[in-house]
Amino acid sequence: MDKSQWRKELKNVLLSIEKEERIAKSEVISNLLFQTDEWKTADCIGITVSRVFELDTSYIIDQAWREGKTVAVPKCYSKHKQMEFREICTYEELENVYMDLYEPKVEVTSCIEPSQMNVIVVPGLVFDREGYRIGYGGGYFDRYLQTYDGSKISLAYMLQTTRSLPHENYDIPVDIIITEDGRFK
């Protein structure tokens, strides 16, 4: 399959997961993340706000705040296909922009530089054993990760993993993938 076929297939699979199963697996995966050294030593976490069909990141955001960590959420600029991370301290600092994505309100948040983040939780639809992923097709994360030297972690349901995926020279693999069955890579 090519990348567009993978995207279509996995989005349909994700949409078919029942709410209760999504909640239970999201909690298991989040708890496995919290046990990593990368999480324990991080002061600043970069993470997306999940959409309804994705693994729920609210557990992670809430835990980061409880632990006094800085939470940075991406803000995308579609005209130039660029992205920056901005600190949020409450969910009220987010706005629904397009395609049910929640991003920081620029007027009430401050920019976080790549060097300030210890961990970025990199989203995607499907991941392989090498750490390569197929995202949503905008290329925002691949461009951003070129300037980022910290830990790159992806969280996924086991059904979002496969042995091998097509990837390009510019694709940047993640360091760790955590599923409900544990950690690999």
Side-chain angles (χ1 to χ4, degrees):
M1 286 195 289
D2 67 16
K3 288 185 176 186
S4 64
Q5 291 168 312
W6 275 106
R7 284 185 188 100
K8 184 177 181 181
E9 175 76 21
L10 265 294
K11 191 165 181 187
N12 287 334
V13 168
L14 289 173
L15 287 167
S16 72
I17 298 173
E18 296 293 328
K19 181 180 179 181
E20 296 77 23
E21 181 182 1
R22 185 183 324 282
I23 290 169
K25 287 182 178 180
S26 294
E27 288 179 1
V28 168
I29 294 165
S30 297
N31 286 327
L32 289 170
L33 171 66
F34 303 149
Q35 295 171 27
T36 66
D37 290 338
E38 290 82 1
W39 175 269
K40 290 175 183 176
T41 60
D43 297 317
C44 182
I45 306 293
I47 191 165
T48 59
V49 177
S50 55
R51 293 182 279 181
V52 70
F53 63 89
E54 297 172 317
L55 187 138
D56 190 347
T57 58
S58 66
Y59 303 108
I60 298 162
I61 294 168
D62 293 342
Q63 182 67 23
W65 284 333
R66 279 192 293 276
E67 293 182 21
K69 297 181 189 297
T70 299
V71 174
V73 172
K75 170 72 180 162
C76 295
Y77 298 95
S78 58
K79 183 175 180 180
H80 300 291
K81 295 261 188 193
Q82 296 296 315
M83 176 175 81
E84 67 183 6
F85 279 81
R86 302 186 71 80
E87 180 180 1
I88 63 164
C89 299
T90 69
Y91 290 108
E92 287 74 36
E93 294 174 341
L94 297 168
E95 61 185 341
N96 190 329
V97 288
Y98 59 91
M99 293 176 32
D100 209 28
L101 289 172
Y102 282 85
E103 293 185 348
K105 297 175 186 173
V106 174
E107 61 276 4
V108 296
T109 59
S110 58
C111 189
I112 299 291
E113 295 301 320
S115 61
Q116 293 176 268
M117 288 183 284
N118 310 101
V119 172
I120 291 181
V121 177
V122 182
L125 288 166
V126 62
F127 305 86
D128 74 12
R129 298 289 173 161
E130 301 288 316
Y132 288 102
R133 65 186 186 84
I134 294 177
Y136 294 93
Y140 290 93
F141 270 87
D142 285 314
R143 278 188 287 284
Y144 189 87
L145 292 176
Q146 292 173 0
T147 66
Y148 176 71
D149 293 325
S151 296
K152 300 174 290 298
I153 300 175
S154 287
L155 310 175
Y157 304 119
M158 219 26 228
L159 57 80
Q160 289 178 269
T161 64
T162 190
R163 177 177 247 82
S164 181
L165 288 171
H167 61 273
E168 311 297 333
N169 292 337
Y170 55 81
D171 289 336
I172 296 175
V174 297
D175 304 312
I176 299 167
I177 299 168
I178 300 173
T179 72
E180 69 272 18
D181 290 348
R183 169 182 173 162
F184 65 91
K185 182 156 169 14

